[in-house]
Amino acid sequence: MTETVLVVGGGGREHAIARAVADDCALYACASVRNPGIRRLADGFEAIDETDPAAVADYATEVGADLAVIGPESALEAGVADALDDAGVYAFGPRAAEARLETDKAYQREFMEEHAIPGCPDYAVFDDTEAACEYIDEYDGDLAVKPAGLTGGKGVKVIGDQVTSEEAKAYLRDSDYDRVVLEERLVGEEFTIQAFVADGDLRTTPAVQDHKRAYEGDEGPNTGGMGSYSDTGPSLPFMREGDYEAAVEVLEAVVDALPEYKGVLYGQFMLTDAGPKVVEFNARFGDPEAMNTLPVLDTPFVDVLAAARDGDSLPELSFSGEATVCKYAVPDGYPTDPDAGAEIAVDEESAGDALLYYASVDERDGRLYTTTSRAFAVVGRGDSVAAAEAQAEDALAAAGDRVRIRHDIGTADLVQRRIDHMDDLRS
Ligand code: AMP
Ligand code: GLY
């Protein structure tokens, strides 16, 4: 039987999800962004606000969807999975109550503490700005200041890294966050593991390292993610034996404590001198990380979705064994002062062997232009991170100079810096 799948969301991540299922199903998609890549793959596309649960559920019913994959956290928070489930369309994505693991950072830490999930840093929750500022003054060490709610990855300020204590306090006083989490600053190298979860079953995918800072050399403000790489196996070059497994144990502990969880469980870890600690959990694929993972997943993703819906044990996953490097092209000035309206010069032809994923672009008279968000990404694959990086760069040669790219992602130099950093910390 051919499944009818609805993909919710219109970014690079959702383009990767759409491409992973397109050949094996009847594909429909809905999003507020008219992603040209997704629209080309789909049998039907509807411009819908993806945070409107009733509108998404109506569209799913109208197209006869059996399954839905929800990309963005905003949709999960709004209860899109709940609405789809209630309409009889299996949503591969948690209901709003379970998505709180991502959408409420205070709940996330309290959940970890209550269930003794390993890897939880020291933390405290405040709903009073002045009390939070006092805590900053009195705390012995650096803190990460985190608004409890969703901020698109841009709300966290790390004292001793991006800001001073004084700047962190000013940031809190100038913003009007209802609740903030202050937690021990974790020092090390970050990595992501995404797992497919249903009925207490969990299947993990290779670790990925994202690059959140806007500029080369990890400078500048945090972004939604400028690019990412994965290696030929599950682990990354700066990780040692046992690190990947320790992180998977954390994800398993979450699923044991939350057996009703379904969808992608994304663990963001800091590899410290004491092993992996949890930076956060997300309740969906990462963007860009989905673009590293899905192209090397040989197991049909539709089989994972159908097994989840049918209550079958999830298939064992097989991967191609290729390394991947993903680089986003973003408007000049992104994220603080993005230059919208620049024409985009890369297309599938000029991308060559690399994969091209569209994110936020405007299509006018057959031409594509930047908006204020990340525009498109290319993914290179190869038998090493270096080979994948070279393929991604070849594809980007046509991108022109009106978009900005972190050319350092996946380069031998940067990967070596990660290795040296961990060697330093662990010696
Ligand atoms: P989050 O939204 O929780 O993923 O935080 C965004 C980014 O802030 C993370 O990817 C880290 O780079 C940084 N961050 C968050 N929490 C911490 C922490 N406890 N220690 C150090 N850095 C952190
Ligand atoms: N790449 C980070 C995220 O998707 O949250």
Side-chain angles (χ1 to χ4, degrees):
M1 190 190 91
T2 307
E3 306 284 355
T4 300
V5 178
L6 176 69
V7 173
V8 179
R13 162 183 54 207
E14 289 79 16
H15 190 182
I17 297 168
R19 194 174 281 158
V21 297
D23 289 344
D24 305 317
C25 70
L27 174 65
Y28 291 84
C30 63
S32 47
V33 173
R34 293 178 166 274
N35 183 310
I38 298 175
R39 286 170 70 195
R40 235 178 284 147
L41 290 169
D43 299 301
F45 173 89
E46 186 79 8
I48 295 177
D49 172 4
E50 61 263 36
T51 64
D52 180 343
V56 174
D58 284 349
Y59 183 60
T61 308
E62 184 192 315
V63 301
D66 312 298
L67 287 165
V69 187
I70 301 169
E73 59 274 24
S74 55
L76 297 168
E77 182 179 47
V80 169
D82 308 58
L84 287 165
D85 284 348
D86 294 347
V89 182
Y90 181 85
F92 192 68
R95 297 173 72 97
E98 285 82 49
R100 280 182 75 206
L101 261 191
E102 166 168 10
T103 60
D104 180 345
K105 289 185 199 287
Y107 166 79
Q108 179 198 106
R109 291 311 189 197
E110 285 157 5
F111 169 89
M112 290 188 76
E113 189 176 340
E114 183 184 337
H115 296 281
I117 310 287
C120 190
D122 249 4
Y123 76 96
V125 178
F126 295 90
D127 45 25
D128 171 345
T129 301
E130 287 315 310
C133 291
E134 220 167 283
Y135 187 82
I136 291 176
D137 283 334
E138 284 162 14
Y139 190 80
D140 179 22
D142 289 334
L143 289 164
V145 177
K146 309 172 90 163
L150 293 177
T151 60
K154 295 160 202 148
V156 174
K157 303 286 174 215
V158 181
I159 298 174
D161 181 22
Q162 300 151 290
V163 295
T164 62
S165 306
E166 291 310 311
E167 286 164 345
K169 287 187 286 180
Y171 169 69
L172 283 177
R173 288 178 175 131
D174 287 348
S175 52
D176 48 4
Y177 298 123
D178 292 336
R179 298 179 87 199
V180 292
V181 181
L182 301 185
E183 62 187 34
E184 167 195 0
R185 175 187 174 197
L186 302 167
V187 177
E189 283 295 326
E190 287 185 77
F191 65 95
T192 302
I193 298 178
Q194 300 160 106
F196 304 146
V197 178
D199 294 311
D201 229 11
L202 171 144
R203 297 286 180 273
T204 53
T205 67
V208 182
Q209 188 173 47
D210 185 18
H211 297 70
K212 292 218 161 69
R213 296 299 196 87
Y215 310 129
E216 288 176 12
D218 297 320
E219 303 285 338
N222 271 350
T223 67
M226 292 295 295
S228 44
Y229 66 95
S230 63
D231 207 345
T232 53
S235 192
L236 289 166
F238 57 83
M239 295 163 72
R240 289 189 189 164
E241 214 179 307
D243 291 335
Y244 182 84
E245 292 72 14
V248 169
E249 276 172 27
V250 171
L251 298 177
E252 284 168 348
V254 171
V255 173
D256 285 345
L258 208 57
E260 56 278 39
Y261 193 93
K262 61 190 170 71
V264 177
L265 176 61
Y266 165 124
Q268 178 71 27
F269 297 94
M270 184 76 79
L271 184 56
T272 69
D273 59 354
K277 303 278 182 206
V278 176
V279 173
E280 66 164 346
F281 297 115
N282 290 330
R284 34 94 196 159
F285 278 111
D287 188 347
E289 291 94 329
M291 293 181 278
N292 299 93
T293 304
L294 288 168
V296 297
L297 175 65
D298 282 345
T299 310
F301 187 47
V302 169
D303 291 357
V304 175
L305 300 177
R309 178 198 55 204
D310 297 341
D312 295 340
S313 152
L314 297 179
E316 294 300 332
L317 304 181
S318 65
F319 293 91
S320 72
E322 292 160 297
T324 66
V325 173
C326 175
K327 302 199 191 202
Y328 252 119
V330 304
D332 235 355
Y334 171 86
T336 37
D337 188 19
D339 170 28
E343 190 171 351
I344 287 163
V346 167
D347 58 22
E348 255 150 89
E349 297 290 298
S350 58
D353 291 331
L355 300 166
L356 174 67
Y357 294 103
Y358 289 106
S360 196
V361 291
D362 254 350
E363 201 169 11
R364 277 180 271 134
D365 308 323
R367 289 163 183 265
L368 296 175
Y369 301 89
T370 58
T371 70
T372 56
S373 302
R374 295 177 292 183
F376 67 90
V378 300
V379 175
R381 290 163 295 176
D383 57 11
S384 65
V385 174
E389 200 272 335
Q391 193 183 75
E393 280 297 323
D394 281 348
L396 288 166
D401 54 11
R402 297 223 33 209
V403 288
R404 208 167 47 70
I405 294 154
R406 270 194 64 174
H407 292 290
D408 60 344
I409 293 169
T411 57
D413 264 7
L414 195 56
V415 172
Q416 189 58 46
R417 273 184 30 208
R418 310 294 191 219
I419 297 171
D420 294 345
H421 184 204
M422 279 322 301
D423 282 351
D424 263 6
L425 284 175
R426 283 178 141 167
S427 67

